[in-house]
Amino acid sequence: MAQRDLSRCLLRAIAPISRTPRPIFASPVARCLSTTTPRPAELLEEPQERFKAAEPFDFAKEDGPRSGGGGKRLLRTLRIVPASPSYFSAKPTFTDDFVRLSALLRTVATLPMVAPIDAPKVAWKTIDQYRIMTNEPVRTQRFHKMMHIVRRLNCIHPSLMPEEVLQAMQRFKKDSQPGDIVPNPGVIDELGRAKGVGRRKTSSAVAWVVEGEGEVLVNGKSLTQFFGRLHDRESAVWALKATQRLDKYNVFALTQGGGVTGQAEALTLAVAKALLVHEPALKPALRRAGCVTRDMRKVERKKAGHVKARKMPTWVKR
Amino acid sequence: MSSSTCIRRFSRLSLDRTAHPPIASRSLLATPQTSCFSTTAAQHASAQGKKGMAAAPKRGARTLNIKKNKKDAAVAKKPAPGERKAARKRIVLSNNNALEVETLTDMDKSTALANKHEGQVKGIPDAVVDALRAVEAFKRSQGWSMFRRPATLIRKETTQLAELMSQAEGGEEGKPKTVRRILTGERLNGKSTLLLQGLTMAFLRQWVVINIPDAMDIVNAHTEYAPLPGSQPTQYSQETYTATLLSQIAKANDKVLSSLTVTAAPNIPVPFPAKGSLKQLAEAGVANPEASWSVFVALWNELTQPGRPPIMFALDNLAHIMRNSDYLSADVKPIHAHDLTLISHFVTYLSGSKLLPNGGVVLASTSKSNTPTVSALDFSLEVAEAKQYSPNNMPQWNPYKKADQRVIDCLKDIKVLKIAGLSKNEARSIIEYYAASGMLRAKVDDGFVTEKWSLAGMGNIGELERASVRLRL
């Protein structure tokens, strides 16, 4: 009898580890259990796990239908083992996670690994995000210990990665991963034009690139008419010049807003993007030439009490 | 007071009068006049007065008088009058540091108008360089000073102009024609250089060349002017400018004019020998500026006699003569540029109301820098371009703009010679010339040529030179 009870309790203890994903209890009042101070609204937008403490033992049921002792008999004979190993802590989610990951690591420890640098790139949740998700004041050091295990799991050779590990890691990944958002591939239209859009400072430019012999029109004018400085002309067609494609394509572009330099550098980006539609393999070369990344710098706003963005008024003694 | 004193005073007065030389009539105001009632000589009085009259410094104003500095001011030598301007206007046509281009050959008389040299760089013979210098055809902004000696690229438009010139000479039929053209094109596209090439070909073919180097100089009121007697409506002649032009004509066309003699006694107010040469005629105008306009007219009459060589009549920066000049008439109204005799003469031939009987070319070039906006001229050129290149798409006059009817009338049926960018082959040829001159140190291959061609706005030759020779990094 006692043996059977013990095994049942053990089963219960293991239950949360074997069951993945975690059971979700549909309880609208989950937040009532929180002992932490309310957080600002924007932080609460993070999805928070619903949490409920372990279910109470139903002693009447354990006693069996015949007995009428109200569970007192069982209570006397049983040594109760809680379902979660962290039953006696205030909130067990973190400890559960940690124990589960450690157990998982023991099972997959012998699988071959890749060097950390070759492991798939993953954006992990930050400690703040994890705290909000679990609604638990997790200590930084402990969190990092846990993330160490997660990263170790991520280093398992991708071809041998077990499904359960993938599922376990899913809990610690950010919602959007780098490379999740793939832009629509550009198309060359029926007239052979590829379009690219670029921006810099407050200028924006649209460029259409077609196969040709190096003719460039910006807002209907030639490059020399539109850009007085040689430097700006070179900037505008830098994507083509840096890849030795200046004699292979024609460009016609529209640009507006901002000043001369901004328009020229917006054109750099626009032409590069349009060129990438024609020849996607040029991306590394263009990145090296500095034509792929949008330069996000803009004029810093002026602040109250300052003369400019940061300049303070002259100090006067009285 | 005794009478002797009075006499002495009077005698002194008379001495003073004799001390002054009789004053020239025009400079009445230049020297101080003596008052008859003063007994001191005016010069002495004024000299003394000035010394004492130096106003005392204002109270509180500090006067700094450091004698050491005065010496230093004398050490720094000021340039002589006119020296700075001469340095500013100096035209350098050679660069001893540039390499001699071995393959460079000169243009010559027989092949000047042939089209077989298209796309090649050709040198300008020394004699023609002197003549071109005399007519001020070289500009400072052009890059002559970077190469060993003047040479130009024979581009497509040059052969077109050469073709026109051979038509003007009479061509195969032998009937001389008057060709009138206006050179248009973008900034730095080589309009003035094409004009210079036209002058070069004319000199080589031994035409008579009359060149007005910059129309701005005629109309900016920097030279004297006077109403032409007996003209109705009043025209204004510019003696000094005309005399300068005559001297340029005489110097540049030395050989041709010396070989021609006058057919009839010219109607000029200066003595002229019978059977004198046309060069002597032009020089008579230089020596007597007040007769220069009548000399110019007489010279022109002689040049339009049958059997004389064709004439190249050229003008740069056309827009300046298509509006009011900076001169004022007697009733303080601006004088229209077409009322100046020289310009009206040019415009008569440009508009085609008179023709050159011995054939020739009337060539005007627009300019895109230092030029006024003349809407009537712009519109006339647009119309002329549309007539030639896209007859279905004629421009409309904007009725809200002010039209200068004289301009529209004189450009009614003009034709333009539009200068576009260089072709890639021409660009390659000129870049190779730069490289051969040692002014461009790069491997000239297709990629390089195309890159420069594109960056120069599809073959704008001025920008090409800038990008490859001037702005070397």
Side-chain angles (χ1 to χ4, degrees):
Chain A
M1 175 71 191
Q3 219 169 17
R4 207 184 64 208
D5 283 340
L6 185 65
S7 66
R8 197 166 56 217
C9 289
L10 275 175
L11 269 176
R12 265 196 206 165
I14 314 167
I17 303 173
S18 58
R19 268 179 296 171
T20 49
R22 251 183 109 76
I24 294 168
F25 306 104
S27 161
V29 290
R31 288 271 300 130
C32 298
L33 293 171
S34 167
T35 52
T36 53
T37 50
R39 289 165 193 279
E42 67 263 24
L43 284 180
L44 288 177
E45 280 169 16
E46 286 281 334
Q48 213 169 48
E49 294 188 324
R50 283 159 187 157
F51 177 80
K52 200 174 175 185
E55 284 185 66
F57 286 98
D58 186 356
F59 292 115
K61 203 173 104 194
E62 296 291 334
D63 277 356
R66 286 163 297 158
S67 65
K72 278 176 189 159
R73 187 180 65 83
L74 186 73
L75 200 58
R76 256 186 266 109
T77 54
L78 266 182
R79 178 169 166 262
I80 297 166
V81 179
S84 163
S86 52
Y87 182 78
F88 297 104
S89 62
K91 190 146 184 301
T93 322
F94 171 75
T95 321
D96 284 356
D97 281 342
F98 191 86
V99 170
R100 192 155 54 88
L101 284 173
S102 310
L104 187 59
L105 181 59
R106 273 198 296 281
T107 62
V108 295
T110 52
L111 288 175
M113 287 162 57
V114 292
I117 196 150
D118 299 327
K121 300 281 177 294
V122 178
W124 303 111
K125 274 182 179 149
T126 61
I127 185 165
D128 287 329
Q129 285 169 326
Y130 184 76
R131 279 173 182 160
I132 292 167
M133 182 180 79
T134 57
N135 197 16
E136 194 175 327
V138 183
R139 291 202 183 151
T140 316
Q141 197 187 12
R142 289 182 181 177
F143 175 76
H144 284 303
K145 273 184 183 165
M146 184 182 68
M147 291 313 290
H148 188 75
I149 300 175
V150 175
R151 276 190 218 101
R152 165 67 184 76
L153 288 174
N154 192 39
C155 285
I156 296 170
H157 199 285
S159 62
L160 297 170
M161 181 71 82
E163 184 60 28
E164 53 175 346
V165 176
L166 279 178
Q167 280 179 359
M169 285 195 304
Q170 192 60 42
R171 183 170 159 72
F172 301 96
K173 288 181 179 174
K174 278 184 182 170
D175 289 339
S176 66
Q177 294 294 313
D180 271 0
I181 303 167
V182 182
N184 292 334
V187 284
I188 303 174
D189 66 7
E190 68 277 7
L191 298 171
R193 301 173 298 190
K195 185 183 165 188
V197 180
R199 294 195 180 85
R200 167 89 172 89
K201 292 186 179 180
T202 51
S203 309
S204 66
V206 191
W208 287 269
V209 172
V210 292
E211 288 182 18
E213 57 270 351
E215 295 172 10
V216 182
L217 282 182
V218 183
N219 285 4
K221 291 178 181 171
S222 76
L223 213 48
T224 46
Q225 281 173 300
F226 198 80
F227 293 119
R229 287 173 69 209
L230 184 64
H231 184 269
D232 288 339
R233 281 175 228 157
E234 285 192 345
S235 293
V237 291
W238 183 247
L240 295 169
K241 197 183 165 187
T243 52
Q244 279 95 44
R245 296 290 192 280
L246 202 47
D247 52 344
K248 309 245 180 345
Y249 293 99
N250 286 353
V251 177
F252 48 100
L254 296 175
T255 173
Q256 59 176 8
V260 179
T261 312
Q263 293 191 336
E265 290 177 11
L267 269 174
T268 314
L269 208 60
V271 171
K273 282 184 185 168
L275 180 62
L276 278 178
V277 176
H278 281 282
E279 297 183 55
L282 283 179
K283 187 152 187 179
L286 285 174
R287 190 178 286 287
R288 264 178 271 126
C291 301
V292 175
T293 312
R294 168 23 166 153
D295 190 345
M296 290 305 292
R297 288 174 298 172
K298 285 206 172 192
V299 174
E300 189 176 336
R301 67 152 288 184
K302 186 195 174 300
K303 278 81 171 184
H306 288 242
V307 182
K308 301 197 288 182
R310 304 200 179 168
K311 186 183 182 184
M312 288 297 286
T314 319
W315 183 79
V316 185
K317 196 174 178 188
R318 271 180 293 275
Chain B
M1 182 83 53
S2 64
S3 62
S4 62
T5 347
C6 289
I7 288 166
R8 198 163 67 232
R9 282 195 177 165
F10 272 115
S11 68
R12 209 182 263 173
L13 188 64
S14 67
L15 272 175
D16 284 344
R17 291 302 290 170
T18 48
H20 291 301
I23 300 162
S25 62
R26 292 198 57 187
S27 55
L28 258 178
L29 297 170
T31 50
Q33 279 177 297
T34 42
S35 156
C36 292
F37 298 105
S38 165
T39 51
T40 46
Q43 287 152 336
H44 304 158
S46 67
Q48 270 179 349
K50 262 182 196 163
K51 213 179 254 173
M53 288 260 288
K58 270 186 185 171
R59 185 179 293 176
R62 270 201 225 162
T63 53
L64 187 63
N65 190 11
I66 301 170
K67 281 190 178 166
K68 275 182 194 168
N69 283 358
K70 281 186 181 170
K71 241 183 194 174
D72 294 345
V75 169
K77 199 186 154 196
K78 272 189 182 173
E83 201 174 296
R84 279 187 188 142
K85 187 175 182 183
R88 203 173 68 230
K89 301 262 174 187
R90 190 171 61 230
I91 286 165
V92 181
L93 293 184
S94 73
N95 174 10
N96 286 338
N97 293 323
L99 301 177
E100 180 88 53
V101 181
E102 305 280 321
T103 53
L104 184 68
T105 51
D106 281 352
M107 298 165 85
D108 59 358
K109 186 182 174 183
S110 55
T111 58
L113 301 186
N115 59 3
K116 67 174 182 181
H117 293 312
E118 188 178 325
Q120 294 176 13
V121 178
K122 284 281 166 187
I124 301 175
D126 288 341
V128 179
V129 168
D130 292 342
L132 287 172
R133 210 190 248 279
V135 296
E136 293 180 23
F138 296 108
K139 299 257 159 80
R140 256 184 78 87
S141 55
Q142 297 162 343
W144 304 111
S145 62
M146 279 185 285
F147 302 99
R148 190 74 171 201
R149 66 197 191 83
T152 55
L153 172 72
I154 310 295
R155 54 198 289 182
K156 195 181 85 207
E157 288 82 2
T158 317
T159 50
Q160 284 173 2
L161 183 61
E163 174 63 30
L164 292 174
M165 287 177 71
S166 56
Q167 283 173 19
E169 275 185 347
E172 280 95 48
E173 305 115 47
K175 192 162 172 290
K177 252 177 73 178
T178 307
V179 175
R180 303 172 289 122
R181 283 291 182 282
I182 294 181
L183 308 180
T184 59
E186 293 307 329
R187 187 167 170 266
L188 288 180
N189 231 343
K191 297 178 290 296
S192 294
T193 310
L194 183 59
L195 194 74
L196 177 135
Q197 285 177 331
L199 298 181
T200 309
M201 291 186 282
F203 278 123
L204 284 169
R205 299 295 296 175
Q206 282 160 359
W207 291 19
V208 175
V209 175
I210 301 173
N211 180 38
I212 297 173
D214 193 347
M216 188 182 78
D217 295 337
I218 310 186
V219 295
N220 64 0
H222 284 201
T223 55
E224 63 211 52
Y225 69 117
L228 190 66
S231 55
Q232 191 57 246
T234 319
Q235 289 207 318
Y236 297 84
S237 62
Q238 292 154 287
E239 290 165 358
T240 319
Y241 191 92
T242 316
T244 318
L245 184 65
L246 280 172
S247 81
Q248 288 181 1
I249 294 169
K251 202 173 166 196
N253 305 293
D254 186 11
K255 221 174 176 182
V256 182
L257 293 186
S258 311
S259 63
L260 303 172
T261 51
V262 293
T263 49
N267 181 20
I268 53 175
V270 287
F272 189 74
K275 295 288 169 195
S277 71
L278 293 190
K279 191 178 181 223
Q280 282 171 316
L281 182 61
E283 277 165 354
V286 180
N288 306 289
E290 65 278 0
S292 59
W293 176 244
S294 48
V295 168
F296 183 85
V297 173
L299 181 67
W300 187 267
N301 286 338
E302 288 296 332
L303 289 174
T304 47
Q305 295 297 319
R308 298 288 160 96
I311 295 175
M312 164 65 88
F313 200 1
L315 177 139
D316 201 347
N317 212 346
L318 180 72
H320 278 283
I321 64 164
M322 292 297 171
R323 58 171 198 157
N324 282 338
S325 71
D326 291 344
Y327 292 107
L328 294 180
S329 64
D331 41 354
V332 206
K333 294 264 168 53
I335 298 173
H336 196 277
H338 288 192
D339 287 334
L340 300 171
T341 47
L342 249 176
I343 293 175
S344 88
H345 185 76
F346 179 80
V347 164
T348 320
Y349 286 90
L350 184 69
S351 64
S353 51
K354 275 189 192 171
L355 294 178
L356 299 166
N358 302 314
V361 175
V362 183
L363 202 58
S365 166
T366 56
S367 175
K368 283 286 183 325
S369 45
N370 185 25
T371 190
T373 312
V374 184
S375 47
L377 172 68
D378 293 344
F379 178 72
S380 302
L381 293 180
E382 269 175 39
V383 169
E385 250 172 56
K387 271 184 195 163
Q388 279 168 260
Y389 300 108
S390 56
N392 300 329
N393 189 15
M394 294 295 277
Q396 293 289 316
W397 172 256
N398 178 359
Y400 293 101
K401 276 186 180 170
K402 218 169 158 188
D404 188 347
Q405 198 55 42
R406 294 177 80 166
V407 172
I408 289 180
D409 288 345
C410 86
L411 298 175
K412 214 181 296 167
D413 55 345
I414 195 75
K415 282 187 176 173
V416 297
L417 184 55
K418 194 177 177 184
I419 302 178
L422 298 180
S423 71
K424 290 230 174 114
N425 287 334
E426 288 166 346
R428 181 169 194 124
S429 166
I430 192 82
I431 288 177
E432 275 171 357
Y433 172 73
Y434 296 154
S437 298
M439 298 308 291
L440 175 71
R441 291 180 197 167
K443 197 175 138 203
V444 180
D445 53 7
D446 273 347
F448 183 82
V449 171
T450 316
E451 182 198 312
K452 294 291 173 198
W453 182 85
S454 288
L455 287 177
M458 297 180 255
N460 186 324
I461 189 167
E463 296 285 355
L464 192 72
E465 187 190 83
R466 231 188 229 181
S468 47
V469 180
R470 294 198 189 196
L471 299 180
R472 273 185 309 157
L473 298 177

